[in-house]
Amino acid sequence: KARGFRWLEARMSALEGLRRPLIHAIRHSLERQVEVSSGSDAPEGPPLSSHAEALLRRHRQAEDSDTREEALRSTWEIEHAFLALADDRPLAVLIEDVHLCRRDEIRTLAGLSASLRQRRVYLVLTWRTKDPEPSDPEDRTPSGFYDLVALEDLVRLELGPLPETAMQRLVEDAAGVPFVAREVLDRVITESEGVPLYAISLYEHLEAVGEVKRVGDAIRPGAFWRKEAP
């Protein structure tokens, strides 16, 4: 965003698959640009290009969400939507939780990656390589993972859980205090599994429901403290 990219975000789910979140994200990006450009706030970037405006009109004219999805059924049509959004400035597309993709959706992503390689569209994909189900202690490689990592020109960054010392600093910063009780830290670190955003959200929840309390410059268990989540 700081470098002038238009930013589009879509989160995969096992229920909605890949296409529906992408359609919603494309529509939101188009509508948002129209709102900002026509409002009193400083615009985020240039007005929509003629290609993007035509795409937005087509979506607005669709009678229902099923009709809108029909208009972006093929990989080529999704690619065309990305190119329309990138017509006036570079586009970055973040697609999260790609490990939930079916194999045909993996092929869609591979096709998009290949066709957009020389365009002003930057694809960022996130997926978990270790996502065991609660009843299964074994790590499972997501379906299609090796198809993804085999993509040409893919830059892969592998992230692991934050170490305990970093998690401690993260929670202390979120709380705005120099000391967080050991039992509070242990619970946040264990339940968040070292995921920073989840750790912050979990701490904020614990404070909001009274499970932790502020005592001077410290965070300690509160009146409603439970050692483990229900």
Side-chain angles (χ1 to χ4, degrees):
K1 290 181 181 179
R3 297 190 178 190
F5 278 69
R6 175 170 281 125
W7 189 255
L8 188 151
E9 297 182 18
R11 181 182 293 275
M12 285 279 307
S13 72
L15 179 63
E16 293 189 312
L18 173 66
R19 190 162 49 88
R20 181 170 292 183
L22 279 179
I23 293 168
H24 290 172
I26 290 167
R27 172 84 185 241
H28 175 76
S29 179
L30 291 166
E31 296 282 9
R32 174 60 183 155
Q33 189 63 24
V34 169
E35 287 176 13
V36 173
S37 297
S38 61
S40 58
D41 296 336
E44 293 182 346
L48 286 175
S49 68
S50 59
H51 292 127
E53 287 181 346
L55 181 65
L56 179 58
R57 282 197 301 272
R58 185 173 62 167
H59 273 260
R60 284 175 167 171
Q61 290 167 0
E63 295 180 358
D64 52 41
S65 60
D66 289 337
T67 306
R68 291 172 190 151
E69 290 182 26
E70 189 72 26
L72 288 172
R73 178 172 296 278
S74 72
T75 302
W76 181 88
E77 288 160 334
I78 293 174
E79 175 192 341
H80 179 74
F82 286 165
L83 292 176
L85 284 168
D87 199 41
D88 56 349
R89 62 193 248 192
L91 173 69
V93 182
L94 171 63
I95 306 176
E96 298 194 74
D97 294 338
V98 173
H99 58 281
L100 298 176
C101 278
R102 301 187 304 270
R103 285 200 176 273
D104 61 304
E105 293 171 329
I106 293 291
R107 288 194 293 270
T108 295
L109 289 175
L112 285 171
S113 175
S115 59
L116 295 171
R117 185 168 294 123
Q118 302 301 323
R119 304 287 189 153
R120 300 197 307 169
V121 180
Y122 188 72
L123 292 181
V124 181
L125 312 177
T126 71
W127 68 87
R128 296 188 185 189
T129 56
K130 297 181 179 180
D131 192 28
E133 297 178 359
S135 60
D136 185 358
E138 298 297 325
D139 292 337
R140 290 182 174 181
T141 301
S143 175
F145 169 73
Y146 295 109
D147 296 321
L148 269 180
V149 298
L151 292 177
E152 187 179 352
D153 297 335
L154 176 75
V155 178
R156 178 181 171 188
L157 299 177
E158 186 163 351
L159 304 178
L162 283 182
E164 184 174 318
T165 53
M167 287 291 287
Q168 180 176 343
R169 290 195 300 272
L170 184 75
V171 176
E172 289 170 350
D173 288 345
V177 298
F179 177 79
V180 177
R182 185 72 250 173
E183 54 263 57
V184 176
L185 282 174
D186 286 344
R187 178 167 167 188
V188 171
I189 292 171
T190 299
E191 293 185 18
S192 70
E193 298 181 338
V195 179
L197 291 179
Y198 184 25
I200 293 173
S201 296
L202 175 58
Y203 168 76
E204 291 174 346
H205 170 75
L206 294 177
E207 186 170 14
V209 300
E211 287 204 54
V212 300
K213 64 181 180 180
R214 295 175 181 268
V215 182
D217 290 333
I219 297 295
R220 300 186 182 279
F224 300 102
W225 173 254
R226 291 179 297 212
K227 291 184 178 180
E228 297 179 355

